[in-house]
Amino acid sequence: QIPALESALRSRGLPVEVVGLGGLIDTPEVRDVVSTLRVLADPTEGAALLRLLTGPRWRIGPRDLVALYRRARSLASDRRFVDEPLLADRLDEAVLVEALDDLGPPSGYSELGFARFVALRDELRGLRRRLDQPLPDLIADIERVSGLDVEVAVRPGDAGLARGHLDAFSNIAARFATESDGPTLGAFLAFLAAAENE
């Protein structure tokens, strides 16, 4: 019930903070960072990529999403070992991130959609080259490269609260990096998934 309550309060212009890691992850600004981390760490994270594509920054429309999905299906059909329909569906989702990396001909997309796909693809490639740095630094890079830090600063109404959410998330990542035996990105994402479930 918490997301519904939060949404209703925000729609009335009230600043809202949901306490706890699960609530923090559900805030839009932190969810964008987590989605980016998931896409960087795992090419099967089609749902996280879709969140980024349809979000306020990239605003990819249905026509271009369908074109990207067709590209993903085309790449998946190139894999000869796919015989079972269920496995094929799972591969389609897995290949969605790969389709962004290999868009195919620009004529398959709208001009603006293709430009946005290319910009996101290049952004993700740049961030993947920095995956070996400590988690707090990677999160700061995601905020900076995606422009999330600027977007949060100019957001009307709850800019301070949104910045506080990002700072709290960075602090959690820093604490995880110092207190965990294996502070890898995969381990951190598993920690976040467990926090959401619990």
Side-chain angles (χ1 to χ4, degrees):
Q1 296 172 340
I2 296 295
L5 290 170
E6 180 187 9
S7 176
L9 291 169
R10 283 186 189 276
S11 71
R12 302 290 176 130
L14 295 170
V16 177
E17 179 177 7
V18 181
V19 297
L21 182 54
L24 183 65
I25 293 171
D26 280 334
T27 61
E29 53 279 353
V30 173
R31 179 62 67 190
D32 285 347
V33 173
V34 172
S35 294
T36 304
L37 288 171
R38 287 186 172 142
V39 169
L40 292 173
D42 185 358
T44 65
E45 280 292 346
L49 178 62
L50 281 174
R51 175 179 169 78
L52 295 176
L53 291 172
T54 59
R57 180 166 181 228
W58 297 107
R59 299 184 317 274
I60 299 293
R63 178 177 167 237
D64 287 314
L65 287 175
V66 168
L68 185 67
Y69 181 72
R70 281 192 190 121
R71 178 66 180 161
R73 286 190 64 88
S74 171
L75 291 172
S77 71
D78 291 342
R79 298 179 185 199
R80 294 189 186 113
F81 60 87
V82 179
D83 294 326
E84 299 177 36
L86 177 62
L87 183 57
D89 289 344
R90 290 176 63 197
L91 273 176
D92 285 348
E93 182 178 319
V95 137
L96 197 58
V97 176
E98 293 175 19
L100 180 67
D101 204 49
D102 181 6
L103 290 165
S107 59
Y109 310 90
S110 71
E111 187 176 338
L112 183 59
F114 186 77
R116 288 178 180 172
F117 281 141
V118 167
L120 177 58
R121 179 197 67 195
D122 293 347
E123 187 175 289
L124 291 173
R125 283 178 179 173
L127 288 168
R128 279 191 191 103
R129 287 193 287 270
R130 299 182 213 149
L131 285 177
D132 59 343
Q133 63 186 338
L135 279 170
D137 295 343
L138 178 60
I139 290 169
D141 275 350
I142 290 171
E143 283 184 37
R144 182 184 49 75
V145 168
S146 68
L148 191 57
D149 53 353
V150 175
E151 177 196 326
V152 162
V154 299
R155 185 180 295 171
D158 64 350
L161 186 57
R163 180 70 255 169
H165 291 153
L166 289 172
D167 291 342
F169 184 71
S170 294
N171 290 338
I172 288 167
R175 198 164 53 239
F176 180 85
T178 57
E179 296 175 0
S180 173
D181 291 336
T184 64
L185 177 55
F188 183 59
L189 290 171
F191 167 73
L192 294 179
E196 282 186 282
N197 291 335
E198 295 300 323

